[in-house]
Structures are given as structure tokens and as C-alpha cells.
Amino acid sequence: MRRGTLPAMAGGILIIDAESERADEVARRLRDMHFPTAVCAIGLLAVQRLESQPADLVICAEHLPDRDPREIAEYVREFFPGHVPFLLLLDDATVDAEGARRRVEADAVVRRGTRDEELSGLCRLLLERSALQVRLEHMQEENTALRRASAANSVLDPETGFYRFAAFRHVIAMEIKKARRYGYPLSILLLRLDRSEEIAGWLAPEQRRQVFAGLQREVTSAIRDIDIALLFANEKILVVMPHTALAGAITVADRIRTRIAALRPPASLAQLAFTASVSVAGASTNQLSFGRLIQDTNRGLREAEARGGDVVVVCRDTLAAPDAAPPPDGGQLGPRTFFV
């Protein structure tokens, strides 16, 4: 801003003072210095004016007939937080200026008779500070929006450490196409912490990040480099396993279930126990469909919940081929693994 120019002003300066001579004098001096100025004699009229035409700066007398200046200052702070400076006008030269400022919670104090240069400089300073505050808030909002956009485009989810499903959607589509074309097996796992909503209510944000860090560590350590572990909808974890028949996927699923059951809770929640249910589906036919696999594994998770959780559920409909070997008698592979 060039020296001598005024800050951009939309509403001007509002003077609130019941003593008309003093108010008119201050208004005249400010207008002579090219500040747009309006005057209200009582607090009620000032509030009504501010509601319809916000000011850039409020100058309020120390005493008003209808309201305490502190009420006006509080109204200005609540409705225009950080944007409209409040300047307290003192008539008595013996009044403690700092004490009066603190009582009203004003931004600054000015005494009657202050020289034009000092009054102008103080008004400019308050207006420029307010403009900088507005710019800072806008920059913070833009920065927040940029961080959110960056996080949305990130491959990793910052809260859980898992890959984002959206970032790998095209990779999954290619794996499905290759499996259909060349006839190699492909399986998926869909897992979820049991009682996830109840557990979420116990965890603080940092504890939640610690839990998901442990979950991510155990899942990724149980799978191969070519397998992909992703954060799916509703905080479910999806594992895509190319070149993996259903039998191999079942083994991995039970390994993950066992490792999650061994996870230690945060120190402050030692009584909390973690278990997870894992649903498995796979196929190696030209009818392979990712949508069908997800549909089946979601059905498997519902079955796991009905069984009380901490189980592996294998979706019978997606066995490798129509002539695939049937599941063992009773549909149970191990103590916590079931076919549906």
C-alpha cells in the first residue's frame, strides 16, 4: 500500500456516541482525512445499522445511554470475528486507558483531542491489521482446501496407511481382464475389524491411527509383493491377490485373522481386544467379475458377523470352476474357517 492511500473500505467507520458535538467533531476530522464515516447516537441504532451495513471500524464512546460499550464490542466480535476493529473513545483524560480497554475488550483506545495524525495513523493501523487478518484466513482456507485435494489425489490414505482404492481402480480392472483372458486364478479378501463402530467410540484420533498402523503392518506382512491391500468402503480392507487360487487365499486369510487377534491395544485401553472377520472369494473362469467378487465377500462379512466375528468365511459361489472339488464335509476347513 502506498503511503497516504487508504485501505480498501466497504462499510466505512461507524462512530457510536450520544454526545452529538463530540461525535460530529470526530466524524468531521475523519472525513477531512478521507475516511467514510457514519454516526449513531445509541447502541441499539448502531447494532441495527451493523446488521444491515457492516462497518470496517467501530469507534465507541466510553459511556452510552442504553448499552454498555462492552456489549457492543462483544456483538462486533461475535458477528464479525477478527474483521471489525473496536476502538474505545475516552473523554476523561484521567481514566486509565489500558484498564478501560481491558474492561471493554477493545482493540485500542483513543482520547478526545488526539491529534489528527495520531488518529489517522491508529485508524489505518487497525484497518490494515483487519485486512491482513482477512487475507490470512483466506490463505488458511485455501491451504486447507489444497491439502484436502492433495490428500484426495494421494496414493496412500494418511489416516490408515493403506493404499486408496480409487488410486488402484484401474490396476484392479487390468488384473481382472488378464485373469479372464489367460485363465489364471484371482482371489480377493475383504476384512473388517469386528465391533468396529464400538471400538471407534473408544479410540482417540491418535489411537485410531496407531490401531490402523498395526492393522496395515499385519496385513501387508502376510501377503506377497504382488498382492494389493487397499482401504475400501466403510473402513473395510480389500486385498487383491492375482495368480492365487481360493485355497491359497484361505490360508492367507486365516493368517491375517490370527495376527490381528494378537494385536495389542493402546496402553490406556488394555481391556480392549481386537478381532477381525475375513471374507474370501475367487475364480479362474472367463465369467470372473470384480463386482460379483465384492458382492460375495460382502455377503461373507454379513455371515461372519452373524457367527460372532473372528472367522474366515469362504464364499462357495466363487469356487474356481464348475468342476472344482467340493469343500470338506460340513463346510469347515479349520476351527475358525467356514464355507457359505
Side-chain angles (χ1 to χ4, degrees):
M1 182 182 300
R2 297 192 309 273
R3 186 177 181 85
T5 61
L6 289 176
M9 300 179 68
I13 297 176
L14 176 62
I15 300 172
I16 312 171
D17 193 348
E19 294 188 20
S20 58
E21 289 186 9
R22 178 173 60 188
D24 290 342
E25 177 200 356
V26 175
R28 177 188 56 76
R29 292 170 60 193
L30 289 171
R31 291 185 186 119
D32 288 345
M33 292 182 283
H34 308 291
F35 288 100
T37 306
V39 176
C40 286
I42 59 175
L44 176 61
L45 293 178
V47 169
Q48 291 174 346
R49 180 184 175 88
L50 286 169
E51 289 175 350
S52 60
Q53 185 179 346
D56 296 297
L57 171 66
V58 173
I59 300 178
C60 184
E62 184 184 8
H63 301 289
L64 297 175
D66 63 333
R67 295 197 179 186
D68 189 320
R70 183 172 182 172
E71 295 179 26
I72 309 295
E74 184 177 14
Y75 168 83
V76 170
R77 284 195 305 274
E78 289 179 350
F79 282 82
F80 314 102
H83 297 167
V84 179
F86 192 90
L87 183 57
L88 185 64
L89 178 61
L90 299 180
D91 192 39
D92 188 347
T94 64
V95 171
D96 175 21
E98 179 58 21
R101 187 198 67 78
R102 286 200 302 266
R103 187 188 72 80
V104 177
E105 297 185 42
D107 293 284
V109 172
V110 64
R111 295 186 186 275
R112 184 176 182 178
T114 299
R115 293 184 305 168
D116 286 354
E117 294 81 1
E118 294 176 356
L119 179 61
S120 173
L122 181 57
C123 289
R124 288 174 185 274
L125 180 63
L126 291 173
L127 289 167
E128 289 171 5
R129 189 188 69 173
S130 175
L132 286 173
Q133 179 67 26
V134 171
R135 287 184 59 191
L136 178 61
E137 290 181 5
H138 287 167
M139 291 173 65
Q140 289 173 336
E141 290 173 0
E142 290 175 357
N143 192 28
T144 299
L146 286 172
R147 286 201 306 270
R148 288 175 178 169
S150 176
N153 294 326
S154 174
V155 173
L156 285 177
D157 177 72
E159 293 295 317
T160 65
F162 283 99
Y163 290 120
R164 293 179 183 274
F165 173 74
F168 282 82
R169 187 181 285 112
H170 67 288
V171 176
I172 296 172
M174 289 299 298
E175 290 295 344
I176 294 289
K177 287 180 180 178
K178 288 191 291 184
R180 281 204 298 251
R181 181 174 181 180
Y182 299 111
Y184 66 71
L186 181 144
S187 297
I188 71 168
L189 314 179
L190 193 63
L191 66 101
R192 179 177 57 197
L193 283 177
D194 297 322
R195 303 176 296 113
S196 56
E197 293 183 0
E198 177 186 342
I199 289 174
W202 284 91
L203 299 176
E206 181 57 34
Q207 291 174 324
R208 179 181 178 278
R209 283 190 286 270
Q210 292 174 3
V211 168
F212 268 97
L215 184 62
Q216 192 268 348
R217 182 177 61 252
E218 298 303 335
V219 170
T220 54
S221 66
I223 61 178
R224 305 164 301 174
D225 290 342
I226 66 169
D227 301 328
I228 310 169
L230 308 164
L231 180 66
F232 199 57
N234 300 320
E235 295 193 341
K236 300 172 187 173
I237 307 304
L238 170 67
V239 181
V240 181
M241 307 179 69
H243 300 280
T244 305
L246 198 62
I250 294 169
T251 301
V252 174
D254 195 57
R255 185 186 306 149
I256 290 174
R257 181 197 64 80
T258 303
R259 292 186 179 186
I260 291 175
L263 276 176
R264 299 181 63 181
S268 60
L269 296 171
Q271 77 282 5
L272 202 60
F274 295 119
T275 60
S277 296
V278 189
S279 182
V280 187
S284 60
T285 72
N286 58 9
Q287 300 300 316
L288 178 63
S289 161
F290 180 70
R292 177 61 185 275
L293 294 178
I294 290 295
Q295 180 181 348
D296 286 342
T297 48
N298 272 318
R299 177 168 57 88
L301 284 182
R302 290 193 294 271
E303 175 66 21
E305 183 178 3
R307 290 178 179 269
D310 192 24
V311 296
V312 173
V313 175
V314 185
C315 299
R316 190 192 306 266
D317 289 352
T318 51
L319 285 172
D323 57 350
D329 292 342
Q332 185 170 341
L333 290 178
R336 305 299 300 170
T337 302
F338 300 88
F339 277 90
V340 295

